[in-house]
Amino acid sequence: MLKEPKIVLVSNRGSYTLKEIDGKIEAVPAISGLVSAVEPVLKEKGGVWVAWGGREAAAPETPGVRLNVPPENPAYLFCEVPLTGDEIRRYYHGFTNGALWPLCHYFLEKCRYSNSEWLAYRQVNFKFALAALAETGPQDIVWVNDYHLALVPGIIRRHKPGLKQAFFWHIPFPHYDLFATLPWARAILRGLLGSDVIGFHLPDYSYNFLHAVNKLLEAPVDYNTFTIRWQGRKIFTPAWPMGIDYEAFQKLACDPKIRKQAEELRRQIGTERIALAVERLDYTKGILERLLAFERFLEEAPEWRGRVSLLQIAVPSRTAVPAYQQLRSQVEEAVGRINGRFSEGNYRPVHYFWRGIPRQELVSYYLAADIMMVTPLRDGLNLVAKEYVASRVDGTGVLILSRFAGAARDLKEAVIINPYDIEGTVVALKAALAMPVSQQKQRLRKLQEQVRRFDVRWWLANFQRALQEREVKEEDAVRRHLRVSSFSTLPSTSFIDA
Ligand code: GDG
């Protein structure tokens, strides 16, 4: 009997951060949208997660650790790709966060194109691909995630041409004009085309990708079926916005302990209304623009002074990259200025935290917030917006959402704003504060329906189906070729229950 194919998940960071304490490796669970989305699948089905553990290796040839995780109840293998300090600097802080990230978010002026960083990106992609290949049997499925590892599918395809591969690009894919500024744009595209399925959050990102492939590689593309013909293969580039575990957020939001925490938080803040913002401290997230809008709002609406606070959680991120250090100073200066101008007695207009908080606590923040401000200048999707919607079990609350967040395409009942338009954001904030409960409930019902329907299971099932369909076609071809009469000896590709 043939075994069920194993999933080999490949991503820059994985489900664990590794720490060496007194010569012993300790695996600390990592927090990210990707972990919450895909770890349950690996826990259920087993498999391998190939990722950098977040620590610095002494030498390029340092072997990575292989750990059965979760430690208390092992279900899958965590396979570390060790990176040296120099690789971290040039591949991670350099090419991925100093070139690809700003480019894909339309911050061309922040892009630094360096040949040495590109070479490190290539070298590290090789490392990941080789680590994945070492774990992969001929029937297994490789699933690569995100822009850090765009070259991995191409490398794997060269070594094992028959392997089934999926890729998901979590950030925007920019317009061709912008993407073409990258000196290595063609190599990135060729790398991605090693995959059979390349998923994006939005049709616009797929179109941009198809357009770039067509113009830069002169490959035939079909905008109607989201397909590319490349080296004798047909590649599918669908738009599947990532979902969240809706039920899990609802369950947490009903937990009496978390509800009590939310009440406590409201009591501590002490204002009649609370607006909340939660994100990594990143220049794409529009934190500074939001603070400017809040400041303008307090200037224009003195009747709200003392009655509404903004709770800003800024999770430290990419702290070694100068643009992030600069942003932190600007944000903290703005917070200081606003609080200096408008604090009175116990009233503090902005409560600012430069730290991450545990997930359960995060849900208590969602519960405490009358208004959620998700106002990025550009964002591939944005899971926080969906998490807020899912957590509002009493049906109230207002989501203010940037039109430049991918999530705005489906979350139409949110109050949609342009974060570059400070005055417009002030108007939206006033409207949110004045919105009757009946209208809040009406909007939230529709939002919740959307987030519930297109949840993380829907997202994962799409990949399963796409890879299965491809296999059915291949099975047909194999049958015709070998003239065998039964499918029973051919493997199935199920990797998650739909
Ligand atoms: C990239 C794309 C795309 C945040 N703060 C805390 C915390 N979080 C969790 C949230 C959410 C996740 O991190 C953040 O996801 P986002 O989607 O909001 O943003 P990015 O980190 O930029 O993610 C983005 C995403 O990939 C998925 O494809 O949507 O567009 O940029 O799940 O809950 N979690 C905890 N404490 C925090 O302080 N526990």
Side-chain angles (χ1 to χ4, degrees):
M1 231 184 71
L2 280 159
K3 281 193 306 184
E4 197 179 340
K6 176 173 82 208
I7 312 166
V8 178
L9 189 76
V10 192
S11 61
N12 178 59
R13 297 301 294 265
S15 44
Y16 288 88
T17 297
L18 303 181
K19 293 204 169 115
E20 200 170 330
I21 300 167
D22 299 332
K24 264 186 68 186
I25 299 289
E26 204 173 285
V28 184
I31 307 166
S32 79
L34 182 67
V35 174
S36 337
V38 300
E39 203 196 15
V41 184
L42 290 186
K43 278 185 175 165
E44 190 188 325
K45 302 267 180 189
V48 185
W49 196 324
V50 176
W52 171 42
R55 63 191 183 126
E56 194 177 311
E61 59 280 0
T62 306
V65 297
R66 299 169 91 246
L67 294 172
N68 288 308
V69 288
E72 62 286 1
N73 187 15
Y76 66 94
L77 183 69
F78 182 90
C79 189
E80 183 199 18
V81 179
L83 298 182
T84 63
D86 181 57
E87 284 169 337
I88 295 166
R89 191 175 52 76
R90 290 190 297 138
Y91 145 81
Y92 184 63
H93 301 313
F95 196 75
T96 60
N97 292 329
L100 284 179
W101 176 268
L103 173 66
C104 292
H105 289 85
Y106 291 75
F107 285 85
L108 196 51
E109 78 286 359
K110 285 195 164 49
C111 292
R112 192 187 51 237
Y113 296 153
S114 142
N115 201 44
S116 134
E117 289 174 356
W118 160 247
L119 292 176
Y121 182 82
R122 267 185 27 179
Q123 179 183 319
V124 169
N125 270 245
F126 260 101
K127 269 192 169 180
F128 274 86
L130 295 182
L133 279 163
E135 302 296 335
T136 313
Q139 309 299 343
D140 295 338
I141 292 166
V142 179
W143 189 13
V144 185
N145 277 269
D146 232 354
Y147 62 101
H148 313 82
L149 301 174
L151 306 179
V152 168
I155 301 165
I156 290 183
R157 179 72 56 194
R158 279 201 295 283
H159 284 74
K160 288 191 181 166
L163 268 191
K164 273 187 290 296
Q165 293 193 62
F167 192 99
F168 195 80
W169 186 269
H170 289 261
I171 62 176
F173 197 91
H175 189 271
Y176 158 76
D177 279 345
L178 217 73
F179 190 67
T181 65
L182 183 71
W184 310 280
R186 284 191 181 84
I188 295 281
L189 296 177
R190 279 194 212 102
L192 287 168
L193 292 178
S195 238
D196 299 295
V197 180
I198 308 166
F200 296 92
H201 284 305
L202 299 190
D204 279 350
Y205 307 158
S206 294
Y207 293 140
N208 287 344
F209 180 70
L210 292 173
H211 189 44
V213 165
N214 184 245
K215 295 277 271 189
L216 291 169
L217 301 181
E218 294 175 11
V221 301
D222 184 335
Y223 292 96
N224 295 315
T225 56
F226 293 107
T227 47
I228 302 169
R229 292 253 165 222
W230 179 249
Q231 298 181 342
R233 292 181 298 121
K234 194 168 165 187
I235 296 155
F236 184 33
T237 65
W240 291 329
M242 192 170 169
I244 60 160
D245 189 343
Y246 184 85
E247 305 300 335
F249 276 93
Q250 287 251 311
K251 214 165 134 201
L252 285 173
C254 290
D255 182 330
K257 227 174 72 205
I258 292 175
R259 298 190 72 79
K260 207 156 155 253
Q261 274 177 8
E263 278 166 31
E264 178 60 19
L265 181 65
R266 282 200 78 104
R267 208 186 47 73
Q268 279 170 11
I269 302 287
T271 44
E272 208 178 291
R273 303 291 186 87
I274 295 174
L276 173 68
V278 182
E279 59 252 312
R280 288 180 302 98
L281 186 86
D282 195 299
Y283 52 81
T284 60
K285 301 288 185 184
I287 303 174
L288 205 52
E289 290 72 9
R290 182 186 309 132
L291 287 168
L292 292 180
F294 192 64
E295 185 174 25
R296 184 76 58 85
F297 161 77
L298 291 174
E299 282 167 7
E300 281 182 18
E303 70 279 15
W304 278 108
R305 291 182 204 159
R307 292 171 58 208
V308 60
S309 303
L310 172 65
L311 204 61
Q312 172 69 60
I313 297 168
V315 184
S317 181
R318 305 172 193 173
T319 47
V321 179
Y324 289 73
Q325 295 162 355
Q326 195 193 354
L327 176 71
R328 184 180 170 201
S329 319
Q330 291 170 328
V331 163
E332 293 183 355
E333 191 193 310
V335 171
R337 188 184 61 242
I338 300 168
N339 282 344
R341 286 184 69 190
F342 298 105
S343 288
E344 225 180 293
N346 288 333
Y347 174 59
R348 194 167 9 129
V350 184
H351 293 254
Y352 169 78
F353 302 90
W354 186 66
R355 59 180 170 87
I357 49 177
R359 158 148 303 184
Q360 306 214 340
E361 203 178 323
L362 186 58
V363 174
S364 71
Y365 279 64
Y366 291 149
L367 280 172
D370 306 286
I371 296 170
M372 182 83 215
M373 297 190 79
V374 178
T375 58
L377 303 177
R378 188 75 57 172
D379 210 337
L381 184 76
N382 195 289
L383 295 175
V384 167
K386 295 191 174 189
E387 293 168 2
Y388 176 72
V389 165
S391 304
R392 302 298 301 181
V393 281
D394 74 349
T396 66
V398 183
L399 173 64
I400 298 182
L401 182 59
S402 160
R403 56 178 298 190
F404 302 116
R409 183 176 178 269
D410 292 328
L411 302 183
K412 293 198 167 45
E413 304 299 324
V415 175
I416 304 289
I417 60 123
N418 169 1
Y420 292 93
D421 174 8
I422 304 292
E423 289 295 341
T425 308
V426 172
V427 171
L429 191 53
K430 286 180 185 166
L433 286 164
M435 192 182 288
V437 168
S438 59
Q439 199 191 128
Q440 292 180 28
K441 287 192 166 177
Q442 209 179 4
R443 285 172 179 255
L444 206 70
R445 212 175 21 249
K446 290 190 179 150
L447 290 170
Q448 287 184 331
E449 178 54 24
Q450 177 74 25
V451 178
R452 193 188 58 74
R453 235 178 111 196
F454 300 102
D455 69 350
V456 69
R457 298 210 150 254
W458 167 85
W459 184 72
L460 288 163
N462 285 326
F463 281 96
Q464 176 198 26
R465 213 173 307 114
L467 290 167
Q468 258 173 354
E469 276 166 15
R470 180 175 173 267
E471 176 149 50
V472 170
K473 282 179 203 138
E474 282 180 358
E475 281 175 355
D476 277 346
V478 172
R479 259 156 59 95
R480 272 197 300 275
H481 183 63
L482 298 177
R483 296 183 196 288
V484 293
S485 58
S486 163
F487 278 117
S488 61
T489 53
L490 293 166
S492 91
T493 52
S494 162
F495 67 87
I496 184 184
D497 290 328

